[in-house]
Amino acid sequence: MMTVFYLISNRQQHNSGRGGSYFSSASVAKVMSENLKVYYFNIGDHDSPVAKEILGNKYINLKMGGLNNFYSIFKYIYMTFKYRPDVVHIYDLVVVFFAYFSQLFSSSKIVLTQPGGANRAVPSKYTPKNVITCSVENFNFYKELKECKHVVNISNRVIPFSTNEKSVGKLKELINYKPTDLIVMKVGRLDNYYGLGIQQAYDFYKELKENHVSVKLIYLGHHENGFMPNPEALCDPDVFFVQDQHFTKDAKTVIDIANYIVANGRSAMEACFLGKRLLVPSKKHGLISINRENYIEAINYNFSERIVVNDSESISCTESSFFYKSLFEDYFNIKNASKKYEQFYVKSVKDSPKLIYLLKSFTSLFFNFR
């Protein structure tokens, strides 16, 4: 049976360990553990609560910072000796040192997943030969790098889930829900990075309110990086900023309350699973209603704000719940992608990093976790 190590970094100054990369990597590891021997390493200065909850005893925290760096490296060496991974699958280049280091003690191949985001210059000498992307946008970038020999695009995926009816009930109490209410929900961090989408959701809510007696807007997500919402939204009695961990720690289990979901990335896919009317914020077109005319472009951009569609395709139209649920089964159900991952692992090629790269990545690791 093939053994796979999954590695991701987690630095408090950059993230909370609750973002999409942690959900994505942990979800992949969980599904792959049904057929492979899997170990997931969270490498950083704090735990990832979402990965820990998804993976249970397959989750291993390697605490970094100060003298912890040496202890974690020795622990990783011990795990490498003990389990001899066939593949080390990393989700960022911060942890590439561990991936390179594993090759000194095992015949492992290194795989990098680029889980979304804008294309940016990467230190190509550190980039593994095997790369999985989650968007066509990233795929087109990596396939042009001469260092990357084996590149494939596997759209981001989520695990089917159940709604937490008890939590939905509490959320209804919180917003004084009435059966006649039309609910718009913006899912995601309250963060300056997502400020455009946050404002677009409010504009959409105001537009609906002109034509409906009772409309409510819920912002579901953590407040980060000193973000200040629109003062008008803060004073609106029908706008709710829900940040309680009871609701946000597993946001997908309460989104069934909504009629319209405004979301990017994984949250958009979770909305499709429930058959919800999906709206994606974009920098170029405003709020895009996902429909049969533009869903391919949305997938190609991993439902990011960088999505570009024809103007005629961004016009709002009505799609059935069945359309969104079919979209989920065809593109986003992670259980339908496990064979693709396994085949990619088998066909991957082995890296042969130079000693200087190993030393430089080691220095970079300590710089990131001082």
Side-chain angles (χ1 to χ4, degrees):
M1 180 183 291
M2 187 185 297
T3 298
V4 183
F5 282 7
Y6 292 88
L7 278 62
I8 191 168
S9 70
N10 190 9
R11 293 168 290 169
Q12 200 157 19
Q13 63 179 332
H14 292 285
N15 53 60
S16 62
R18 299 175 183 273
S21 295
Y22 301 94
F23 276 105
S24 294
S25 56
S27 297
V28 170
K30 182 177 177 64
V31 170
M32 297 310 294
S33 70
E34 295 176 6
N35 296 311
L36 309 178
K37 188 177 290 186
V38 162
Y39 299 90
Y40 182 100
F41 296 84
N42 176 76
I43 302 172
D45 49 22
H46 66 302
D47 266 316
S48 170
V50 297
K52 191 173 185 177
E53 185 171 342
I54 290 171
L55 290 163
N57 62 7
K58 295 179 178 63
Y59 172 90
I60 301 163
N61 187 49
L62 295 183
K63 189 171 180 60
M64 301 295 290
L67 294 177
N68 288 318
N69 291 3
F70 295 99
Y71 172 78
S72 293
I73 290 170
F74 281 121
K75 184 175 180 179
Y76 184 77
I77 292 172
Y78 168 77
M79 297 287 285
T80 301
F81 265 117
K82 184 175 180 179
Y83 297 112
R84 304 285 179 175
D86 299 289
V87 174
V88 177
H89 188 159
I90 65 176
Y91 275 75
D92 57 63
L93 290 174
V94 174
V95 296
V96 73
F97 163 74
F98 285 89
Y100 284 163
F101 206 53
S102 68
Q103 293 189 324
L104 300 178
F105 308 103
S106 70
S107 58
S108 59
K109 296 179 284 189
I110 301 173
V111 172
L112 168 70
T113 280
Q114 173 68 40
N119 291 326
R120 52 188 175 272
V122 295
S124 57
K125 60 180 177 291
Y126 299 145
T127 304
K129 294 178 181 179
N130 311 291
V131 179
I132 297 173
T133 64
C134 296
S135 71
V136 172
E137 177 187 19
N138 292 152
F139 173 76
N140 290 335
F141 173 76
Y142 276 96
K143 73 177 182 180
E144 295 301 321
L145 293 180
K146 63 180 181 180
E147 292 80 9
C148 300
K149 307 299 183 185
H150 186 203
V151 184
V152 69
N153 185 66
I154 303 175
S155 61
N156 210 344
R157 307 282 175 135
V158 296
I159 300 173
F161 57 92
S162 299
T163 293
N164 188 327
E165 298 294 348
K166 186 176 181 180
S167 294
V168 170
K170 288 183 178 180
L171 185 55
K172 286 182 176 180
E173 289 178 14
L174 182 67
I175 68 170
N176 192 26
Y177 175 82
K178 299 178 180 62
T180 54
D181 286 342
L182 193 64
I183 305 296
V184 179
M185 178 180 279
K186 169 69 175 74
V187 186
R189 297 193 304 273
L190 297 174
D191 182 310
N192 290 315
Y193 182 81
Y194 296 106
L196 181 66
I198 292 168
Q199 182 60 43
Q200 288 175 352
Y202 183 71
D203 293 340
F204 177 69
Y205 151 78
K206 293 286 285 185
E207 181 184 328
L208 284 178
K209 206 166 187 179
E210 292 176 0
N211 301 303
H212 293 80
V213 176
S214 183
V215 184
K216 289 183 169 70
L217 170 62
I218 300 172
Y219 287 107
L220 183 67
H222 299 285
H223 188 281
E224 294 185 6
N225 300 324
F227 176 76
M228 289 299 295
N230 180 342
E232 185 181 357
L234 278 173
C235 297
D236 192 322
D238 290 323
V239 177
F240 301 85
F241 292 86
V242 179
Q243 302 177 63
D244 190 317
Q245 282 194 21
H246 179 80
F247 303 111
T248 62
K249 71 176 182 179
D250 198 6
K252 64 181 179 291
T253 63
V254 298
I255 64 176
D256 201 29
I257 191 176
N259 301 98
Y260 295 87
I261 292 181
V262 181
N264 294 107
R266 292 176 55 81
S267 296
M269 299 169 196
E270 291 162 353
C272 288
F273 174 70
L274 293 175
K276 297 295 178 178
R277 179 76 177 276
L278 176 60
L279 302 154
V280 173
S282 77
K283 293 178 181 178
K284 186 172 182 179
H285 307 281
L287 209 54
I288 297 176
S289 176
I290 300 303
N291 56 55
R292 62 189 72 250
E293 301 297 328
N294 61 31
Y295 75 92
I296 292 295
E297 286 87 350
I299 294 170
N300 288 348
Y301 282 88
N302 197 32
F303 293 101
S304 78
E305 292 184 349
R306 297 180 303 282
I307 180 176
V308 177
V309 299
N310 295 327
D311 288 337
S312 62
E313 293 176 351
S314 64
I315 297 172
S316 177
C317 70
T318 301
E319 295 289 358
S320 68
S321 177
F322 176 78
F323 166 77
Y324 294 109
K325 289 181 178 181
S326 297
L327 209 58
F328 177 85
E329 287 301 325
D330 290 344
Y331 293 95
F332 312 133
N333 190 337
I334 198 168
K335 293 187 176 182
N336 297 334
S338 59
K339 287 295 181 186
K340 293 182 180 180
Y341 279 98
E342 191 168 349
Q343 288 169 4
F344 186 85
Y345 293 156
V346 171
K347 294 179 181 178
S348 291
V349 295
K350 187 173 180 181
D351 284 89
S352 300
K354 297 177 181 178
L355 179 60
I356 188 64
Y357 294 169
L358 183 63
L359 293 174
K360 285 185 176 180
S361 63
F362 176 78
T363 303
S364 175
L365 180 76
F366 272 74
F367 177 79
N368 281 300
F369 296 108
R370 286 178 293 183

